[in-house]
Amino acid sequence: MSEASVGSANIGVVGLAVMGSNLARNLASREGNTVAIYNRSREKTDHVIAAHPEAGFVPAFTYEEFAASLQKPRAAIIMVKAGAGTDAVINALVDVFEPGDIIVDGGNALFTDTIRREKAVRETGINFVGAGISGGEEGALLGPSIMPGGSDESWVTLGPILKSIAAVAEGEPCVTHVGHDGAGHFVKMVHNGIEYADMQLIAEAYDLIRRGTGKTPAEIADVFAEWNTGELESYLIEITAEVLRQVDASTGKPLVDVIVDQAGAKGTGAWTVQTALNLGVPVSGIAEAVFARSLSSHPEQRAVAGGLPGGESFQADDTFIEDVRLALFASKIVAYSQGFDEIRAGAAEYDWNIDLGAISKIWRGGCIIRAQFLNRIADAYSESADLPVLLTAPYFVDALTRAQSAWRRVVSTAALSGIPAPAFASSLAYYDGLRADRLPAALVQGQRDFFGAHTYKRVDKEGTFHTLWSGDRTEIEAEDTH
């Protein structure tokens, strides 16, 4: 390393696969940033340097050189595969960094791992930041949505750097200090869970339209393109039209018809559902989206079950297409409402001060679920920061009122026709459960008391009670075990 390189970079990137190299290029393209880069494989570093001379990267080939190239307080973003590899890089950086320096994990780490890592690194005096980064390869290069956690001290240094590379929506950078330790990765996890639900709902809408109307994928692409000019305007609706228009070069068929119908997953959707279960938060729309991918990935079971009886085919017209649009919007509202419920519950459980309105704003650009719709969520939390249920905000109440009849027709049509629409159906069931004056949970509590003496409460007086089911079935007052 030349003497001129010592202390010349204000930010560093470790890990130069596509996401890491694109993020490094993004950083380098912004005024005021000089970027140090390091990769375990020297060949990768050499390749990035040669491919992008305009970036003015400061290359390092050991961790010692990497640390020496950074201004103090040093700041480095790790872009490596989550898991043991992340821990290895953190340990290597801790060995060469000093108190006050900053290590940022920009991968999709499980937030509880981030909490563990932050606690361990903090004991060395070094700041550790878990930062969710959404937008894929293109977002990393052109401007992602960034969700950093970590200490207030680290945000002082990182804030201007991250704002320089984040996407911009309506003049505002799509980054905010989410909260301490694992808050950033927690919010990114929920973002991905909402993404699962959104994608599944769109897929169900496509399937219902295609089966009901017989339209070709290209014709349905026009439907989605039209939807993208209204209240459903979003990145996912936009790319759905692009995917449906694509023709396979080798067969001449629509590409969607030659893609194997088994959806992959990286785990963040499952984490969202598992965490929600632990927090006691219903995220049924997200859960059904995760399970739908799981079902799709068991062709051996589907092949055996293919001969089972089903519903009757149906004929639909453009009126049904409008019903599907409304059902999609209503179900999307439920998915986001459930996701924000989980963020609120996570903030309470882990003592994070998360601004839900700010989260909705940083998701307006750069990330996969970016949508016009997020402005309405920001408005809702601006008007009522402690809004208990997002879908009860006036804008969403109006939208759900408009969608009522259509939503129910779509779900019933799917059921009668034997077309799986789990995300539509579960979203409607959640909505109806939420608005119900009384739920059959009273019977569940009676059952629990019968077989396990779990007790119950009464609507007409205070206290906790148990019926002597195996005795004379009189009711006694019991100790509160809830």
Side-chain angles (χ1 to χ4, degrees), residues 240-381:
T240 297
E242 294 298 319
V243 172
L244 291 176
R245 284 198 182 99
Q246 186 68 18
V247 175
D248 176 54
S250 60
T251 63
K253 297 179 179 178
L255 179 64
V256 73
D257 287 345
V258 299
I259 296 175
V260 174
D261 60 337
Q262 298 173 34
K266 291 291 182 68
T268 48
W271 290 349
T272 304
V273 177
Q274 290 161 353
T275 302
L277 288 171
N278 292 336
L279 293 170
V281 178
V283 293
S284 51
I286 297 170
E288 289 295 351
V290 174
F291 293 143
R293 293 196 191 189
S294 299
L295 178 62
S296 78
S297 299
H298 285 282
E300 74 291 349
Q301 292 182 324
R302 293 164 59 199
V304 172
L308 293 175
E312 298 179 357
S313 61
F314 74 106
Q315 295 290 322
D317 55 19
D318 288 349
T319 300
F320 179 72
I321 293 175
E322 174 61 10
D323 279 356
V324 172
R325 185 190 72 80
L326 289 165
L328 175 57
F329 192 51
S331 300
K332 181 186 177 82
I333 291 169
V334 168
Y336 280 74
S337 186
Q338 291 180 344
F340 277 90
D341 280 349
E342 182 166 356
I343 294 174
R344 183 194 303 279
E349 176 70 18
Y350 294 98
D351 195 26
W352 296 321
N353 183 22
I354 299 180
D355 183 336
L356 299 180
I359 298 304
S360 64
K361 286 185 176 182
I362 68 170
W363 286 351
R364 293 178 302 175
C367 69
I368 303 303
I369 63 172
R370 59 185 183 265
Q372 175 211 98
F373 171 84
L374 285 154
N375 277 318
R376 307 288 77 78
I377 296 178
D379 291 343
Y381 286 119

